[in-house]
Amino acid sequence: MCIFTPIMEKVIILDFGSQYTQLIARRLRELHVYSEIHPYNTDIDFSAVDIKGVILSGSPFSVNDPKALHRDIASILDHKPALGICYGAQLTAKQFGGSVERSDKREYGKATIRVKERDPLLDGVEQESQVWMSHGDSIKQLPQGFTLLADTKSIPVAAYKSDEGRFQNPIRCIQFHPEVTHTLEGSKLLENFIVKIAGCSQDWTPDSFIDSTVAQIRETVGTDQVILGLSGGVDSSVAALLIQKAVGDQLTGIFVNNGLLRQGEFQEVLAAYDTLGLKVKGVDASDQFLDELEGVSDPEEKRKVIGRVFIEVFEAEAKKMKEVKWLAQGTIYPDVIESVSVKGPSATIKSHHNVGGLPDKLDLKLVEPLRTLFKDEVRTVGRTLGLPSEFVQRHPFPGPGMAIRVLGEITREKLSLNQAADHIYISKLRSSGWYDKVWQAGTILLPVKSVGVMGDERTYEYTVALRAVNSNDGMTAEWSNLPYELLGDISNSIINQVQGINRVVYDISTKPPATIEWE
């Protein structure tokens, strides 16, 4: 049994595979309306009173492809109003008898829509407005019972709607992407849909989330004991404060040192939890983890070993405690989405440490109070709960820790080198004022050595890569433009202070196509 946050109203987003699907959800939440992403073919009861509207996402597929993704749109409109975006607009046109054909040339990038007819969806939108297009097919002819709302110089149909009475509920469709910032009035358009068409009240806030979540945890857990695996990161820390607010000292946190944390982090985090009044047990199992990782070089195998050993350690500690009925985890929404493959839309890139078999292994019921939130929403909730800035602003740190920041086989020597380099890097970011300007940073020890000269001696030592990115939720990221002077200072300090490293490089890759972590 999992605890899910009770929501009074929500908008369902059906994911047909667009790279922008999560952006749709985020934009709606910024407008104080809760949204959920589901695979396009999920069986959903759209008559449910808490569902206010439905959005059909874009897709990399063509509606004319024999293997195109389909959904019965009429059955949705029997219950709720809908908005079709890009592929959703093309699927709607094709499904009701319109014509969708391959464009003479692929339209990708900025375009200008020209409003032809006013509609609640376009209320307040300029007569001509910049939008972002990304499509290879175009709607050439609308089905009967639909009206054109806007076009561009390149395509005849940029926005359209179903005529009044055509369905039980209306559908609006747009060829462009309102969720990306390049669509200048995209937020206004989405707000028009959720408020003027779907009738949402826009009352989803951090305070309302905390109140409803705490109430449900208290009601569900009752007087049972809860254990929570803490990592020192913002997700598990916010989860701990929410659960503590609900059930007090019925919660016990377990913080496992897997030997793969940052330098000095185990002691620092335990001390910080103590100041928060959390009941936390620290377990140093670093030797157990590092012994099991000896000789392992494959990144996914590293994750599996770490996950298995963590379960063994956590299980041993949990069995020492009596009357425990619940296991709490800091799982957040991207963990849930990325761990479910949806035929292309959300393929599993790598396994997540928060989505695994620990609850079954321990025969405990599961409570995940943050599984509906994106990372920035977790931070907002943390601030509202009074979590200190050193937790709220702490950079994300991968569950496998330094195991995937030391590329290739793990040894204690290489791990120590990277921890020392990372400590210098993060300390320099803090002292220069750049730590809070960067979303995530860390060092990666490369499995190559290079020639260097120190004094009159030739060296043959390791290379470390610096990684710093800016992002909202980690799903996309830009490399951080750190000053050359700062990078030079960091490089000199690492090379001079960490014996075994003689070369420092800076990673300027974006995500996508790269990932934030190297493994």
Side-chain angles (χ1 to χ4, degrees):
M1 176 180 180
C2 297
I3 286 184
F4 293 89
T5 306
I7 303 298
M8 295 305 295
E9 61 180 28
K10 61 188 173 186
V11 171
I12 298 296
I13 301 166
L14 295 179
D15 180 16
F16 287 88
S18 170
Q19 61 180 317
Y20 302 129
T21 299
Q22 291 201 36
L23 278 179
I24 302 173
R26 292 178 52 77
R27 296 294 174 258
L28 297 191
R29 293 181 183 206
E30 289 167 2
L31 294 167
H32 304 298
V33 172
Y34 178 73
S35 56
E36 284 182 0
I37 299 171
H38 293 274
Y40 72 96
N41 55 358
T42 303
D43 185 17
I44 297 173
D45 179 10
F46 290 108
S47 67
V49 294
D50 59 343
I51 298 176
K52 304 293 286 186
V54 180
I55 293 180
L56 312 175
S57 84
S59 175
F61 298 98
S62 166
V63 294
N64 295 318
D65 192 303
K67 296 182 179 180
L69 311 182
H70 290 284
R71 179 86 196 206
D72 181 7
I73 296 172
S75 64
I76 296 174
L77 300 178
D78 284 343
H79 303 287
K80 296 295 184 299
L83 173 66
I85 296 175
C86 197
Y87 183 89
Q90 296 167 3
L91 181 64
T92 302
K94 183 177 178 66
Q95 200 164 109
F96 296 107
S99 173
V100 180
E101 299 177 10
R102 194 70 180 169
S103 302
D104 296 334
K105 62 178 181 178
R106 189 172 185 266
E107 190 173 36
Y108 183 88
K110 297 175 184 177
T112 300
I113 61 165
R114 304 178 297 193
V115 176
K116 297 299 182 181
E117 180 168 323
R118 281 296 164 186
D119 180 79
L121 183 69
L122 301 174
D123 190 22
V125 174
E126 296 290 335
Q127 195 70 28
E128 293 192 355
S129 185
Q130 177 183 299
V131 299
W132 181 263
M133 295 283 189
S134 179
H135 63 98
D137 292 344
S138 291
I139 301 166
K140 299 296 185 181
Q141 184 176 351
L142 288 176
Q144 288 186 347
F146 291 81
T147 298
L148 179 71
L149 295 177
D151 66 5
T152 73
K153 291 182 179 179
S154 302
I155 59 172
V157 180
Y160 68 95
K161 68 173 182 177
S162 60
D163 294 343
E164 188 173 351
R166 178 70 169 80
F167 304 105
Q168 187 73 23
N169 289 277
I171 184 168
R172 268 79 171 176
C173 295
I174 51 179
Q175 182 58 74
F176 54 91
H177 289 272
E179 65 273 22
V180 302
T181 55
H182 300 301
T183 298
L184 299 184
E185 298 184 276
S187 182
K188 166 60 68 177
L189 187 148
L190 289 172
E191 187 170 21
N192 286 341
F193 173 72
I194 60 178
V195 176
K196 298 184 178 183
I197 297 170
C200 296
S201 59
Q202 294 181 282
D203 59 0
W204 192 69
T205 64
D207 285 333
S208 66
F209 171 85
I210 291 169
D211 290 343
S212 59
T213 302
V214 166
Q216 186 168 359
I217 293 172
R218 188 175 292 137
E219 178 183 352
T220 306
V221 171
T223 59
D224 294 339
Q225 295 293 311
V226 184
I227 54 173
L228 166 64
L230 289 162
S231 68
V234 63
D235 300 336
S236 64
S237 300
V238 172
L241 286 185
L242 273 172
I243 298 168
Q244 184 191 51
K245 188 177 178 68
V247 298
D249 62 5
Q250 293 168 231
L251 171 69
T252 300
I254 299 176
F255 181 31
V256 177
N257 181 9
N258 57 14
L260 304 166
L261 303 174
R262 285 190 160 115
Q263 192 176 87
E265 190 171 34
F266 184 56
Q267 293 77 14
E268 291 172 6
V269 169
L270 282 176
Y273 281 140
D274 186 57
T275 64
L276 290 174
L278 291 170
K279 186 169 63 175
V280 179
K281 181 178 183 180
V283 181
D284 188 353
S286 52
D287 284 338
Q288 189 172 339
F289 280 88
L290 296 179
D291 288 346
E292 291 287 337
L293 284 168
E294 186 175 345
V296 179
S297 59
D298 178 73
E300 192 62 18
E301 186 61 28
K302 290 180 185 178
R303 287 181 167 84
K304 290 178 180 177
V305 169
I306 293 166
R308 173 177 57 78
V309 178
F310 177 80
I311 289 175
E312 292 171 358
V313 172
F314 198 93
E315 181 181 18
E317 293 300 322
K319 287 183 176 178
K320 297 176 184 177
M321 302 168 62
K322 298 179 180 180
E323 306 302 321
V324 174
K325 300 290 181 64
W326 295 88
L327 169 68
Q329 293 188 151
T331 309
I332 63 174
Y333 204 31
D335 294 340
V336 177
I337 295 170
E338 284 196 356
S339 295
V340 179
S341 179
V342 191
K343 195 180 180 180
S346 301
T348 302
I349 305 301
K350 56 194 176 187
S351 59
H352 280 274
H353 63 285
N354 273 344
V355 184
L358 189 56
D360 293 336
K361 182 78 173 176
L362 296 175
D363 192 27
L364 297 175
K365 293 175 284 187
L366 186 62
V367 52
E368 296 177 304
L370 306 178
R371 69 178 287 120
T372 61
L373 300 185
F374 288 102
K375 175 70 78 172
D376 59 321
E377 294 169 333
V378 175
R379 294 188 195 279
T380 301
V381 169
R383 292 188 190 98
T384 305
L385 287 168
L387 190 66
S389 60
E390 57 263 33
F391 279 101
V392 174
Q393 295 303 123
R394 185 177 187 267
H395 289 180
F397 190 65
M402 291 289 177
I404 58 170
R405 290 186 175 178
V406 173
L407 304 192
E409 183 180 351
I410 302 291
T411 67
R412 284 171 169 77
E413 176 201 4
K414 290 194 289 185
L415 182 64
S416 178
L417 288 176
N418 201 46
Q419 286 172 326
D422 178 83
H423 180 71
I424 292 170
Y425 184 27
I426 298 302
S427 297
K428 291 288 185 181
L429 289 177
R430 290 188 186 279
S431 63
S432 66
W434 271 90
Y435 184 86
D436 290 339
K437 299 177 185 178
V438 169
W439 190 77
Q440 182 172 346
T443 56
I444 300 94
L445 189 75
L446 307 186
V448 292
K449 289 185 176 182
S450 64
V451 174
V453 177
M454 291 187 181
D456 294 325
E457 296 183 2
R458 177 182 181 275
T459 62
Y460 189 61
E461 297 176 340
Y462 286 102
T463 299
V464 71
L466 308 179
R467 184 71 159 138
V469 298
N470 285 85
S471 176
N472 287 322
D473 54 23
M475 303 310 298
T476 61
E478 294 287 338
W479 60 275
S480 303
N481 191 12
L482 299 181
Y484 290 153
E485 294 80 6
L486 176 59
L487 289 172
D489 183 30
I490 294 167
S491 175
N492 287 335
S493 297
I494 290 175
I495 292 171
N496 288 332
Q497 296 177 35
V498 185
Q499 187 175 355
I501 295 174
N502 68 357
R503 193 176 298 271
V504 175
V505 299
Y506 189 54
D507 182 352
I508 58 170
S509 308
T510 61
K511 177 186 179 180
T515 54
I516 294 176
E517 301 295 340
W518 283 39
E519 287 191 342

